[in-house]
Structure formats: C-alpha cells, structure tokens
Amino acid sequence: KTLPNSHHILSSFQKLPLDGHLSLETTNNNYKNGHASKDFGNIYHYPPLAVLHPKTVSDISMTIKQVFEMDSPKLKVAARGHGHSLQGQAQAHQGLVVNMESLQEMGMVVHSGYVDVSGGELWINVLHETLKHGLAPKSWTDYLHLSVGGTLSNAGISGQAFRHGPQINNILQLQVVTGKGDVVTCSENQNADLFYGVLGGLGQFGIITKARISLEPAPMKVKWIRMLYSEFSIFARDQEHLISLEDTFDYIEGFVIINRTGILNNWRSSFNPKDPILATQFDSDIGKTFYCLEVAKYFNPDQKEAMNESVEQVLSELRYIPSTLFQSEVSYVDFLDRVHVSEMKLREKGLWEVPHPWLNLLIPRTRIHEFAHQVFHKILVDTSNGPILIYPVNQSRWNNKTSLVTPEEDVFYLVALLSSAVPYSRGKDSLEYIMRQHRRIIEFCERTKMGVNQYLPHYTSREEWEEHFGISRWEVMVRRKSQYDPMALLAPGHRIFQNPMLSSTESCD
Ligand SMILES: Cc1cc2nc3c(=O)[nH]c(=O)nc-3n(C[C@H](O)[C@H](O)[C@H](O)COP(=O)(O)OP(=O)(O)OC[C@H]3O[C@@H](n4cnc5c(N)ncnc54)[C@H](O)[C@@H]3O)c2cc1C
Ligand SMILES: Cc1ccn(-c2ncnc3[nH]cnc23)c1
C-alpha cells in the first residue's frame, strides 16, 4: 500500500532537472525496484516509494533539498551501497532509496599515496584499479563485494586492523551530502566534526559521495597459514602475542570450530597438510572445540627466502598443535577475495539468498576467556550454520573521534557469529533457533556487565541506542543529527532517530 497522494509527492521530483532518474516503486515490484526492499540479511523487507538512480552528486543534493523543503509527510531517505546490511539498514519504508551504485560520474583516480573513488564503488573494483598501479588500500573487510560508503558507515574490520586500524582509520577526505542537501568536503583539517561523525556514523549525518582512501605498495603474493589449538587460553595468548609485535604477519584472524565431525577431512582438502599421518589423530576427537589461528604474510617472489625465514621464526614461538600447521601460497587478489569463493559454493547450493541472523560483538580482552567458556562450550553446540570469527585488535590503532563505539580496553576482540538460517527448517538451522541463541549470548553479556559493544549494531528502541552509545557519545550523536540532518531524513533503517530533532522553523545552524 503506498502513501496517500504519493503520486503528488513524486510528481514534484519528476520536475527536477536530474541527470539520473527516479523509478517509482509500484506494487508489482520489478526486479530492480524489488532490489531496494531486500538486503543480505533477508529478514526485513521494507518497500520504498521510489528509487533514485543518481548520475551526479547534484542529483542527490537536489533531491534531498526537495525533500528537506517538503511539507509533511517527510519522505525518509536511505543510501543503498551494495545492500549487504543485515537488518534493513539500507531500506526506507515508503521512502526514497538512493541507489549509490548509479553514481559513476567520477570513476576512480589513483594517485601515489591515495585513490579517489565514488561512495558507491565496490572494494573489489578499488582493488583491481589500484593494483594496476602496484598499489592497494591497507585495511580491508573479509569480503570485497561491499560498497565504500557502506563499510565506512560501519567501520570496515578485518585481519589487517590490528596494525592499520579499520577502514575508517585509512580515509584522508570525504565528500558528503548532508540531510539538508549541502555538498560538503571534509577531513581531519576541514569540517572535521562532520568527517568524524560520518565515519562509523551508520549513514545518519550524510551520504558519502566521494572517498579518498590511503594506499600502500601492493604485494604480489601471500603466504596463507592456518593452525589449530584445542585450548582457548593458549590460542588467545598466541593471538595477543602476535598483534603486539611490530614485525609480524600482515593479517591475523581466527575462528572457532565446535563439534564438527570429520574436521580434518575439510581441513585437509583446503590445505596440503604438512604431515598427513599425524593429522588423522583428531578424527577421534569429534565433539571437541578447536580454535583456528589464521595468519598471512605478504611477499614478492624475490623476497621468498627471507619471508620464509621470518615466518619460521615467528611460528617457532607459537604453541599450536604441530601436526595441524597448514600453509599455502596464493596471489594477493585470491587471498583478499577468499570469501567470494565461499559465496560461489553457497550460491550453488542455494544457501546464499537465505536469512542471515548475524551477531558481531566487540569484547574487552580481560573478559574474553569468560565469554569463550560460556558461549563456545555451553550456549553454542556446533558451528554448522556458519563461521564464527574471533580475533583481537589494538585500540591504539583505532581513532576514537569517529562515531564507532568500541570497548575501553587497549586490546579488544571481534567475535562474529556469521549464521545462515535454512528457510522453512524447524531445527537448529532455523531462524528462530539461531536468533534465540544470539539473544542468550547478549543476555549473558548484559548479566555479567561484560562491557561488550555490538558491531554492525541492531537495536529497535531509542533507549537501547542510548545505552549502545553511552551518555557522552549519545550527546554528540544528537548534536550532529540536529546539525547535519535536522529533519531526521537519513538512514531510517537503523531506527536511531525516529522523528525530526527540530521543528522545521527552528534554526538548524
Ligand atoms: C558476506 C559479508 C561479509 C562481510 N564481512 C565484513 C567484514 O569482514 N568486516 C566488516 O567490517 N564488515 C563486513 N560485512 C558487513 C558490511 O560491512 C556491512 O554489511 C556493510 O554495510 C555492507 O556494505 P553495503 O555497501 O552493502 O552497505 P548497504 O547495506 O548498502 O548500507 C549499509 C548502511 O550504510 C548506509 N550507506 C550505504 N552507502 C552509503 C553512503 N555512500 N553514504 C552514507 N551511508 C551509506 C546505508 O544507508 C545503510 O545504513 C560483511 C557483510 C557481508 C554480507
Ligand atoms: C555468508 C558467509 C559465507 C562465508 N562467510 C565468511 N567466511 C569467512 N569469513 C568471513 N567474514 C565475513 N564473512 C565471512 C560469510
């Protein structure tokens, strides 16, 4: 059911001298528009009234100015990058979705130390374009088919973050269209308050139309190593030791394997085992929990010998189960695009376009052992519905001026429960069962006052959002919202600010 007088609302847009175009969301959604009421989470589906396909930044600015000056009802506006949100964060129910992938006016311009890209550009395209110049961004996400604006609205965290911080720490400048339709260039030295607000700002203060991303020389090859631990305390000690070293690996992550039958068979197929005989000793350990340390070392062919020596040296200090050390050498692109391989396999089995109830938590170092014991040994019974990542990062590499909320401690862990639900199933793979387990984990963290923050946060009430940000950060969020998006038009899918902060008559500056 569309809004009353929706055609009247839309006709005012059709008069705008747009370079791009506006497509009306009709009741019989065609694929393109239906796209805008779906996301990767496949849990929330809010159809918009219309989708803007901007060709230029001025298309976005003109359209937001038109909405800003409208009498009620105010249309909400959601920028949509690649739509890989989990709980409807890029949707706008009966509002306007801005399809950022249409914004191609500027292309990509690679300089010696940075690249300028559109906010709607995908990281996989940034990688291929910068590699032509022997360069690449320093900080990634595990999966590259995500948009620059989408990951910068969250943080962009992966195994390079212990050294370089998240993606939001590697941005030199942004161009943003605010909730008033103003086009603003910002950086740490120019409109810094907007710059830091937008980074990790969940799309609340403006639409990122351009980003200047810091680059480093790109390696050609990656030595990709995995090893198993059966004791969490030894696993965590080694991970924290590695992130404390200056010269160590270039990527440090980890994941939990609970009660996976035939763990070594999968294990063996993906890596050529160093010692196949001993590797079989674990088949009898079905029902145990293993912790996999996953590291990678970048190198170029002429550095291979020195790289191997340095890797052997660092590995000799670690206390993994010797026979489970597996390593392989791949190209830099194949390493960075590794999750795309899982995507292709899951798509073949019809298991990609399924509900994804994900839970991502940032946990203080001093509480991680208590968390691991309760969650990996009591609440969760297996990891059959998706990977569980766990790895520590150094707070010192994270700029605390951004909108991202992190635990107070100098080292904190990302734990990512990346579950896929099997549609129409009733058992352990069902959406209900998985969400119940995630609620039990959240309740455990709250009950024990663990100081945990959600990453890619999802809340449904203002009180929960105030709790998430904490008093001082919440005051900054409210001030920024009233300054940059006073009619609360932007990114309604997060449900942080449900109604206008100021009446339309009050001054916004
Ligand atoms: C398979 C998979 C793997 C992932 N791996 C990681 C990972 O390793 N590390 C990590 O940190 N995250 C990871 N994520 C989460 C990912 O960072 C977020 O889901 C991100 O929002 C996806 O980007 P997107 O372009 O699809 O965003 P969308 O879903 O399109 O948008 C996300 C939010 O940002 C807003 N937004 C989008 N574009 C803009 C813009 N240009 N300006 C302002 N606001 C905008 C939207 O309104 C929405 O609120 C993963 C997600 C998936 C599906
Ligand atoms: C839905 C899915 C399938 C594989 N994955 C992932 N695998 C490994 N690391 C990841 N990081 C984020 N998603 C990941 C996510």
Short mmCIF file of all heavy atoms in Angstrom, two decimals, residues 276-299:
data_model
loop_
_atom_site.label_atom_id
_atom_site.label_comp_id
_atom_site.label_asym_id
_atom_site.label_seq_id
_atom_site.Cartn_x
_atom_site.Cartn_y
_atom_site.Cartn_z
N PRO A 276 50.37 -35.59 6.86
CA PRO A 276 49.03 -36.22 6.78
C PRO A 276 48.84 -37.35 7.80
O PRO A 276 47.75 -37.51 8.34
CB PRO A 276 48.99 -36.79 5.36
CG PRO A 276 50.39 -36.80 4.85
CD PRO A 276 51.13 -35.76 5.63
N ILE A 277 49.91 -38.08 8.16
CA ILE A 277 49.71 -39.23 9.06
C ILE A 277 49.19 -38.72 10.41
O ILE A 277 48.13 -39.07 10.87
CB ILE A 277 51.04 -39.99 9.27
CG1 ILE A 277 51.69 -40.29 7.93
CG2 ILE A 277 50.80 -41.23 10.12
CD1 ILE A 277 50.82 -41.16 7.02
N LEU A 278 49.93 -37.80 11.02
CA LEU A 278 49.56 -37.33 12.36
C LEU A 278 48.22 -36.60 12.33
O LEU A 278 47.48 -36.60 13.28
CB LEU A 278 50.66 -36.39 12.90
CG LEU A 278 51.84 -37.10 13.52
CD1 LEU A 278 52.90 -36.09 13.96
CD2 LEU A 278 51.39 -37.94 14.71
N ALA A 279 47.92 -36.00 11.18
CA ALA A 279 46.69 -35.18 11.13
C ALA A 279 45.47 -36.02 11.42
O ALA A 279 44.46 -35.52 11.88
CB ALA A 279 46.57 -34.53 9.75
N THR A 280 45.55 -37.35 11.22
CA THR A 280 44.32 -38.16 11.40
C THR A 280 43.98 -38.34 12.88
O THR A 280 42.93 -38.77 13.23
CB THR A 280 44.53 -39.56 10.78
OG1 THR A 280 45.72 -40.09 11.38
CG2 THR A 280 44.71 -39.45 9.27
N GLN A 281 44.95 -38.00 13.77
CA GLN A 281 44.69 -38.31 15.19
C GLN A 281 43.46 -37.59 15.71
O GLN A 281 42.88 -37.95 16.70
CB GLN A 281 45.91 -37.96 16.03
CG GLN A 281 46.06 -36.44 16.21
CD GLN A 281 47.30 -36.12 17.03
OE1 GLN A 281 48.15 -36.96 17.25
NE2 GLN A 281 47.39 -34.89 17.48
N PHE A 282 43.00 -36.54 15.01
CA PHE A 282 41.89 -35.75 15.55
C PHE A 282 40.54 -36.29 15.15
O PHE A 282 39.52 -35.85 15.64
CB PHE A 282 42.03 -34.29 15.12
CG PHE A 282 43.22 -33.68 15.78
CD1 PHE A 282 44.44 -33.68 15.15
CD2 PHE A 282 43.13 -33.23 17.08
CE1 PHE A 282 45.56 -33.17 15.78
CE2 PHE A 282 44.24 -32.72 17.72
CZ PHE A 282 45.45 -32.70 17.07
N ASP A 283 40.50 -37.23 14.18
CA ASP A 283 39.17 -37.71 13.79
C ASP A 283 38.45 -38.30 14.99
O ASP A 283 37.25 -38.25 15.11
CB ASP A 283 39.32 -38.77 12.68
CG ASP A 283 39.68 -38.05 11.37
OD1 ASP A 283 39.47 -36.82 11.35
OD2 ASP A 283 40.17 -38.69 10.45
N SER A 284 39.24 -38.83 15.96
CA SER A 284 38.58 -39.46 17.11
C SER A 284 38.08 -38.38 18.08
O SER A 284 37.35 -38.64 19.01
CB SER A 284 39.62 -40.33 17.84
OG SER A 284 40.68 -39.45 18.22
N ASP A 285 38.52 -37.11 17.84
CA ASP A 285 38.13 -36.08 18.81
C ASP A 285 36.83 -35.41 18.43
O ASP A 285 36.63 -34.25 18.71
CB ASP A 285 39.24 -35.02 18.90
CG ASP A 285 40.44 -35.61 19.63
OD1 ASP A 285 40.30 -36.77 20.06
OD2 ASP A 285 41.44 -34.93 19.75
N ILE A 286 35.92 -36.13 17.76
CA ILE A 286 34.66 -35.49 17.37
C ILE A 286 33.96 -35.02 18.64
O ILE A 286 33.97 -35.69 19.66
CB ILE A 286 33.79 -36.52 16.62
CG1 ILE A 286 34.43 -36.77 15.25
CG2 ILE A 286 32.37 -36.00 16.46
CD1 ILE A 286 33.81 -37.90 14.49
N GLY A 287 33.37 -33.83 18.62
CA GLY A 287 32.68 -33.31 19.80
C GLY A 287 33.56 -32.33 20.53
O GLY A 287 33.15 -31.72 21.48
N LYS A 288 34.81 -32.11 20.07
CA LYS A 288 35.65 -31.14 20.76
C LYS A 288 35.49 -29.78 20.09
O LYS A 288 34.93 -29.65 19.01
CB LYS A 288 37.13 -31.56 20.63
CG LYS A 288 37.56 -32.57 21.67
CD LYS A 288 39.07 -32.60 21.81
CE LYS A 288 39.58 -31.37 22.56
NZ LYS A 288 40.98 -31.56 23.03
N THR A 289 36.02 -28.77 20.77
CA THR A 289 36.06 -27.43 20.18
C THR A 289 37.51 -27.12 19.83
O THR A 289 38.41 -27.34 20.64
CB THR A 289 35.53 -26.40 21.20
OG1 THR A 289 34.15 -26.70 21.44
CG2 THR A 289 35.65 -24.99 20.65
N PHE A 290 37.72 -26.68 18.58
CA PHE A 290 39.08 -26.29 18.17
C PHE A 290 39.07 -24.80 17.87
O PHE A 290 38.03 -24.22 17.54
CB PHE A 290 39.48 -27.05 16.91
CG PHE A 290 39.76 -28.50 17.14
CD1 PHE A 290 38.79 -29.46 16.86
CD2 PHE A 290 40.97 -28.92 17.66
CE1 PHE A 290 39.03 -30.81 17.09
CE2 PHE A 290 41.23 -30.27 17.89
CZ PHE A 290 40.25 -31.21 17.60
N TYR A 291 40.25 -24.21 18.00
CA TYR A 291 40.41 -22.79 17.66
C TYR A 291 41.44 -22.72 16.55
O TYR A 291 42.53 -23.28 16.68
CB TYR A 291 40.86 -22.00 18.89
CG TYR A 291 39.89 -22.19 20.03
CD1 TYR A 291 40.09 -23.18 20.99
CD2 TYR A 291 38.73 -21.42 20.11
CE1 TYR A 291 39.19 -23.39 22.00
CE2 TYR A 291 37.81 -21.63 21.13
CZ TYR A 291 38.04 -22.62 22.08
OH TYR A 291 37.12 -22.84 23.07
N CYS A 292 41.07 -22.06 15.46
CA CYS A 292 42.00 -21.97 14.32
C CYS A 292 42.60 -20.58 14.27
O CYS A 292 41.88 -19.57 14.22
CB CYS A 292 41.26 -22.25 13.02
SG CYS A 292 42.31 -21.92 11.60
N LEU A 293 43.93 -20.52 14.32
CA LEU A 293 44.64 -19.25 14.13
C LEU A 293 44.93 -19.13 12.64
O LEU A 293 45.48 -20.06 12.04
CB LEU A 293 45.94 -19.25 14.94
CG LEU A 293 46.89 -18.06 14.77
CD1 LEU A 293 46.20 -16.74 15.05
CD2 LEU A 293 48.11 -18.22 15.67
N GLU A 294 44.50 -18.03 12.04
CA GLU A 294 44.71 -17.84 10.60
C GLU A 294 45.55 -16.58 10.41
O GLU A 294 45.17 -15.49 10.85
CB GLU A 294 43.37 -17.67 9.88
CG GLU A 294 43.50 -17.50 8.39
CD GLU A 294 42.17 -17.29 7.70
OE1 GLU A 294 41.43 -16.37 8.07
OE2 GLU A 294 41.86 -18.09 6.78
N VAL A 295 46.73 -16.76 9.81
CA VAL A 295 47.61 -15.61 9.58
C VAL A 295 48.06 -15.59 8.13
O VAL A 295 47.96 -16.60 7.43
CB VAL A 295 48.85 -15.66 10.52
CG1 VAL A 295 48.43 -15.52 11.98
CG2 VAL A 295 49.66 -16.92 10.27
N ALA A 296 48.55 -14.43 7.71
CA ALA A 296 49.05 -14.31 6.33
C ALA A 296 50.23 -13.35 6.31
O ALA A 296 50.26 -12.38 7.08
CB ALA A 296 47.94 -13.81 5.42
N LYS A 297 51.18 -13.68 5.44
CA LYS A 297 52.37 -12.83 5.27
C LYS A 297 52.46 -12.44 3.81
O LYS A 297 52.49 -13.31 2.93
CB LYS A 297 53.63 -13.62 5.67
CG LYS A 297 54.91 -12.79 5.63
CD LYS A 297 55.07 -11.97 6.89
CE LYS A 297 56.38 -11.17 6.90
NZ LYS A 297 56.45 -10.28 8.09
N TYR A 298 52.48 -11.12 3.54
CA TYR A 298 52.59 -10.64 2.16
C TYR A 298 54.06 -10.76 1.72
O TYR A 298 54.98 -10.59 2.52
CB TYR A 298 52.20 -9.18 2.07
CG TYR A 298 50.81 -8.82 2.55
CD1 TYR A 298 50.48 -7.50 2.85
CD2 TYR A 298 49.80 -9.78 2.71
CE1 TYR A 298 49.21 -7.14 3.29
CE2 TYR A 298 48.53 -9.44 3.15
CZ TYR A 298 48.24 -8.12 3.44
OH TYR A 298 46.99 -7.75 3.88
N PHE A 299 54.28 -11.05 0.42
CA PHE A 299 55.67 -11.03 -0.08
C PHE A 299 55.69 -10.93 -1.59
O PHE A 299 54.67 -11.15 -2.25
CB PHE A 299 56.42 -12.28 0.39
CG PHE A 299 55.97 -13.56 -0.25
CD1 PHE A 299 56.69 -14.12 -1.32
CD2 PHE A 299 54.84 -14.23 0.19
CE1 PHE A 299 56.28 -15.31 -1.91
CE2 PHE A 299 54.41 -15.42 -0.41
CZ PHE A 299 55.14 -15.97 -1.47
#
